[in-house]
Amino acid sequence: MRALSLGLTLLAGCTIASDFGGYSGADGGGSDASVDLAVDAGADMRMPGACEPACDAGRTCCDGSCVDLSTDGANCGGCGAVCPDVANAESACVEGECTFRCDEGLTDCEGECLDTAANPDHCGACGNTCPDAPFADRTCVGGTCDIACFDGFADCDPGAEGCESFLGSPTSCGGCDEACGAGEVCADLETGRQCTATCPPGTTGCDGACVDTQTSLAHCGGCGRACPTRPNTTVECAAGTCTYACTGAFRNCDDEFANGCEVEPAFYARDRDGDLFTVGLAARFCPDDVPDGFSERTEKPDCNDENPAINPDATEECDGIDNDCTGGADDPFRFMGAPVGGTCRCGVGAAPGEVVCADDGSEAICDYPAEVCTNGADDDCDGARDDADSDCDRCLSDWASWSCTVSSLGTGGRTCIARCGAYVLQMSVSSLGAPSGSCTTPSGTRLACRPRMMATCADCEAAFDAGCCEP
């Protein structure tokens, strides 16, 4: 499915006035009536928060909840990136991008789901606009452009454009072939338009037609003052003034009445940080009416509308932030295949460290642990192992787990054992008082030691030659 960013079309009519009989008031030119909705309803872009327990692989912590950024419509491609509803469509988040599928029978025309079989602005195909015609509304029937005559008008001449015949005229009084006799006028009576000798009260005779100049499109505000057709508008005569309303998504952006509603404006959405990437609901605005903090809607939404350095065009850095709005912070960075936050080791058997970002954000590195002095590995990756590493000097004062047992010979013989990690020091005094001792290293080497006589178990710690057993 083709991925699109979404905007909700907020259509509103606009009204402009002709130069006949005065202006109706507002020119109706630029923006959508529901602009406040577009300004305030943007997605609340939240940064990832803490989740306890940690999220499983493939899920991201957003505001304290573990979500799948590839399918979650409230966090699509990034935390807080909400896929808005689209009129006449089913919205979804697919592979981290907002998409939608139009309802059956409708067509996606630049983010709007429309019926191309009946829409005069997209008749038969997107962008195929039906032409305007005098005294007629543009229509689309079965995907083919047609016209519908204004009330009181008819298309009596197939060779003429639009609905050229006024059915209040004495030459076509109530119908195309209904002409009045000499001296008669055409009046709109209770029984319909009929030929009569005089115009009824409240109407004015204009070229043999009895009309109300306050409402007549052919004589709006006075005899002979027909309301002209304007592109992409509907027209009516109200209080003797020709007034127009824009059709579909068209707007009168140049405030020129003569050319009607001349443009179909682009969609705009919120862009607080000014990086030209947008979020939230979108609305159409004339270029001069775009609110502050809005930009033309982008296909890929911003994932942080408070920071211009974070957007879909940014370069991802190793800093714990999703700089390029792909839905994952530091996602391209690896150390020996492990992502940031994963485990790393200096070698087989070494204690694990953590993959972290380098201070300059250019790469992922391993934060190695402190040297473990008794496992035969170079844990801190400084090139030295265990007793060869200066970090292990501390072991000389860390002997622990002294244990003493009295021999069963009944002569006061003792055996004392001490451990420092994988180093084992064993000393004994036999029943004959002959001291002996040994040191076993992690590699299994057994060294002989010469402890002094031990009167008590407390003497064990001082009873060996330090050079014999040095972790």
Side-chain angles (χ1 to χ4, degrees):
M1 181 182 294
R2 179 168 60 94
L4 295 174
S5 64
L6 302 181
L8 189 60
T9 308
L10 309 175
L11 299 179
C14 56
T15 302
I16 59 178
S18 77
D19 48 358
F20 296 119
Y23 298 151
S24 66
D27 64 15
S31 60
D32 290 311
S34 300
V35 60
D36 289 342
L37 177 60
V39 172
D40 297 332
D44 178 15
M45 306 308 291
R46 297 162 292 175
M47 296 303 292
C51 287
E52 294 293 342
C55 298
D56 296 336
R59 298 176 72 82
T60 300
C61 183
C62 290
D63 198 24
S65 298
C66 294
V67 300
D68 185 347
L69 298 180
S70 66
T71 60
D72 192 317
N75 303 276
C76 188
C79 290
V82 179
C83 292
D85 291 331
V86 176
N88 306 313
E90 179 181 355
S91 300
C93 178
V94 179
E95 296 182 359
E97 294 197 29
C98 291
T99 66
F100 63 89
R101 181 175 61 189
C102 292
D103 294 342
E104 186 176 357
L106 302 184
T107 302
D108 173 13
C109 292
E110 297 185 355
E112 296 178 273
C113 293
L114 304 173
D115 183 0
T116 56
N119 191 308
D121 295 325
H122 304 274
C123 188
C126 295
N128 184 37
T129 302
C130 295
D132 290 295
F135 304 109
D137 287 324
R138 300 175 300 131
T139 64
C140 178
V141 181
T144 301
C145 289
D146 202 349
I147 59 174
C149 293
F150 292 162
D151 184 32
F153 289 82
D155 182 12
C156 296
D157 182 358
E161 183 181 7
C163 301
E164 78 291 340
S165 298
F166 175 45
L167 298 183
S169 168
T171 58
S172 52
C173 187
C176 290
D177 298 324
E178 303 294 333
C180 294
E184 290 184 318
V185 294
C186 183
D188 191 3
L189 305 177
E190 291 183 359
T191 55
R193 287 190 172 92
Q194 296 180 5
C195 296
T196 184
T198 60
C199 289
T203 62
T204 301
C206 294
D207 297 329
C210 300
V211 299
D212 181 354
T213 57
Q214 297 297 295
T215 59
S216 173
L217 290 175
H219 305 278
C220 187
C223 292
R225 305 182 72 173
C227 292
T229 300
R230 305 299 191 198
N232 308 311
T233 66
T234 58
V235 60
E236 66 175 334
C237 177
T241 298
C242 295
T243 60
Y244 298 82
C246 294
T247 60
F250 287 93
R251 301 289 182 269
N252 177 33
C253 290
D254 63 2
D255 292 330
E256 292 290 337
F257 301 135
N259 62 358
C261 300
E262 78 290 346
V263 66
E264 195 173 28
F267 284 104
Y268 291 83
R270 193 183 72 185
D271 179 22
R272 289 177 179 171
D273 56 15
D275 61 4
L276 302 183
F277 284 89
T278 61
V279 296
L281 300 177
R284 295 184 188 272
F285 293 97
C286 291
D288 291 341
D289 298 323
V290 178
D292 292 340
F294 271 55
S295 293
E296 191 167 340
R297 183 182 63 188
T298 52
E299 181 176 344
K300 293 184 177 180
D302 203 343
C303 60
N304 185 337
D305 203 30
E306 305 295 336
N307 188 338
I310 299 176
N311 59 65
D313 273 356
T315 300
E316 184 70 9
E317 298 181 7
C318 193
D319 55 5
I321 299 172
D322 181 15
N323 309 95
D324 58 1
C325 296
T326 60
D330 309 327
D331 43 7
F333 292 94
R334 297 286 188 276
F335 181 85
M336 300 296 289
V340 174
T343 58
C344 50
R345 288 178 171 82
C346 186
V348 177
E354 181 182 4
V355 179
V356 298
C357 292
D359 290 341
D360 62 1
S362 63
E363 60 178 342
I365 60 175
C366 184
D367 183 16
Y368 295 106
E371 182 72 11
V372 178
C373 299
T374 59
N375 64 357
D378 181 13
D379 306 283
D380 59 6
C381 223
D382 65 354
R385 300 181 181 183
D386 296 352
D387 55 340
D389 194 316
S390 60
D391 292 338
C392 287
D393 288 346
R394 59 183 175 77
C395 266
L396 291 175
S397 61
D398 284 351
W399 289 96
S401 302
W402 285 99
S403 63
C404 295
T405 60
V406 178
S407 71
S408 61
L409 298 180
T411 57
R414 304 190 193 299
T415 297
C416 297
I417 298 176
R419 289 180 171 83
C420 182
Y423 287 82
V424 180
L425 176 65
Q426 180 173 322
M427 292 165 287
S428 64
V429 178
S430 73
S431 60
L432 300 178
S436 64
S438 65
C439 174
T440 303
T441 68
S443 63
T445 302
R446 190 178 180 89
L447 305 175
C449 301
R450 299 188 188 86
R452 65 177 176 79
M453 294 290 290
M454 295 177 292
T456 66
C457 284
D459 294 330
C460 280
E461 189 169 359
F464 72 100
D465 180 351
C468 171
C469 199
E470 283 190 41

